[in-house]
């Protein structure tokens, strides 16, 4: 956990993909900084553990479904009457070379990443617009920026999130809402799924020659979600040890 320099006491935050990995660290980070946090995930048991220890409000559901986005916003409004910060972090992999990707795995990966980011954003913008302020931080990937063998579905979804970030940044700027993205590189379950040899190659591709820790993603998200970042919108901030240089 990085040293806390952020104060989100009066903020209500929605974090998707909150049951483990980067999302779970973000829940702990925002709670430690005083925020009310609504934590969204498919994994009910994992979410209960994270929320039990942090005091976040759990919403169990699939981000690909509009009903989950509505439930998350309802939970936030019931808790504080506000939605200040949205972090679209939920994600999955269904890797394969393009000629072997099934329709189901194509639709699933686009539905979770692009569809989930769209639906939660659509559900949150009306509150942010009414407040005249808001922060949306999306999670994209090196693969969305540069491509990666075996990840055509994921690359399409993550590149789509970059286009979405820039487009929505232009649409909501006039409401005092910023929309940015981070591109992480962190040793989580998602990375453990990569074969050992390839994992080592990726580590060495980054000048800092290691994967980040999930908690090392928090300061960047916290900054983009802070008042101090009011003049930054539509950017993709790599938090990746230089992987994308
Ligand atoms: N770890 C990395 O190096 C890395 C690199 C680039 C991008 N990312 C992105 O960072 C984000 C977080 O990844 P992570 O590494 O923490 O992975 P993770 O697998 O540890 O966590 C992902 C979380 O998302 C949840 N989730 C999956 N599908 C969902 C759905 N349909 N609805 C709700 N929740 C769902 C999972 O249950 C899990 O809790 C993802 O968007 C991922 O693509 C991670």
């Amino acid at each position: 956990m990085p040293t806390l320099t952020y104060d989100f006491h009066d903020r209500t935050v929605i974090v998707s993909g909150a049951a483990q990995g980067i999302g779970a660290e973000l829940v702990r980070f925002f709670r430690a900084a005083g925020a009310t946090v609504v934590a969204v995930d498919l994994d009910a048991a994992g979410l209960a553990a994270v929320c039990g220890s942090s005091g976040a409000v759990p919403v169990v559901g699939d981000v690909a479904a509009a009903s989950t986005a509505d439930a998350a916003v309802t939970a936030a409004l019931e808790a504080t009457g506000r939605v200040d910060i949205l972090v679209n972090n939920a994600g999955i992999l269904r890797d394969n070379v393009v000629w072997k990707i099934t329709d189901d795995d194509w639709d699933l990966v686009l539905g979770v990443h692009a569809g989930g980011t769209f639906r939660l954003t659509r559900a949150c913008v009306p509150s942010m617009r009414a407040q005249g302020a808001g922060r949306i931080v999306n999670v994209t990937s090196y693969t969305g920026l540069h491509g990666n063998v075996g990840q055509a579905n994921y690359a399409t979804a993550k590149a789509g999130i970059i286009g979405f970030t820039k487009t929505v940044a232009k649409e909501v700027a006039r409401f005092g809402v910023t929309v940015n993205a981070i591109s992480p590189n962190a040793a989580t379950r998602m990375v453990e799924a990569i074969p050992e040899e390839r994992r080592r190659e990726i580590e060495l591709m980054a000048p800092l020659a290691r994967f980040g820790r999930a908690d090392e993603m928090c300061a960047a998200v916290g900054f983009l979600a802070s008042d101090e970042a009011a003049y930054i919108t539509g950017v993709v901030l790599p938090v990746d040890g230089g992987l994308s240089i």
Side-chain angles (χ1 to χ4, degrees):
M1 179 76 61
T3 309
L4 276 180
T5 51
Y6 296 112
D7 181 359
F8 290 109
H9 271 93
D10 54 351
R11 301 296 149 92
T12 303
V13 186
I14 296 175
V15 177
S16 75
Q20 62 169 44
I22 295 167
E25 290 300 335
L26 287 168
V27 170
R28 291 189 266 270
F29 169 79
F30 279 113
R31 286 291 299 141
T36 299
V37 178
V38 174
V40 183
D41 208 290
L42 270 178
D43 171 5
L47 196 61
V50 171
C51 292
S53 59
S54 67
V57 179
V59 170
V60 178
D62 178 352
V63 291
S67 55
T68 303
D70 293 342
V73 170
T74 300
L77 295 178
E78 279 175 359
T80 62
R82 303 182 60 83
V83 183
D84 298 292
I85 297 163
L86 166 65
V87 186
N88 282 307
N89 166 78
I92 49 160
L93 298 176
R94 288 294 182 274
D95 291 356
N96 219 329
V97 284
V98 71
W99 58 95
K100 291 185 181 170
I101 295 176
T102 63
D103 286 339
D104 283 352
D105 282 350
W106 180 268
D107 292 346
L108 181 67
V109 169
L110 267 84
V112 172
H113 290 274
T117 297
F118 156 60
R119 292 193 177 89
L120 267 164
T121 300
R122 181 178 62 181
C124 289
V125 163
S127 296
M128 293 178 174
R129 180 181 178 179
Q131 291 161 197
R135 296 280 183 269
I136 299 172
V137 182
N138 298 323
V139 180
T140 183
S141 168
Y142 173 90
T143 298
L145 289 161
H146 300 285
N148 193 24
V149 171
Q151 294 197 310
N153 48 3
Y154 184 70
T156 302
K158 289 305 205 188
I161 285 174
I162 296 171
F164 181 83
T165 298
K166 293 179 178 180
T167 298
V168 181
K170 290 182 177 182
E171 290 179 351
V172 300
R174 64 186 183 278
F175 310 138
V177 179
T178 66
V179 190
N180 293 290
I182 67 159
S183 174
N185 186 30
T188 62
R189 182 186 64 172
M190 194 171 269
V191 168
E192 281 161 22
I194 303 170
E196 167 95 40
E197 207 174 302
R198 177 69 187 138
R199 224 163 49 207
R200 189 67 195 136
E201 277 172 20
I202 297 171
E203 259 184 338
L204 296 178
M205 278 162 66
L208 292 176
R210 66 172 177 87
F211 282 99
R213 300 185 313 272
D215 67 82
E216 287 181 301
M217 309 300 124
C218 296
V221 175
F223 170 63
L224 292 171
S226 71
D227 287 349
E228 288 73 16
Y231 199 55
I232 300 173
T233 199
V235 306
V236 178
L237 175 60
V239 190
D240 66 356
L243 179 68
S244 53
I245 292 173

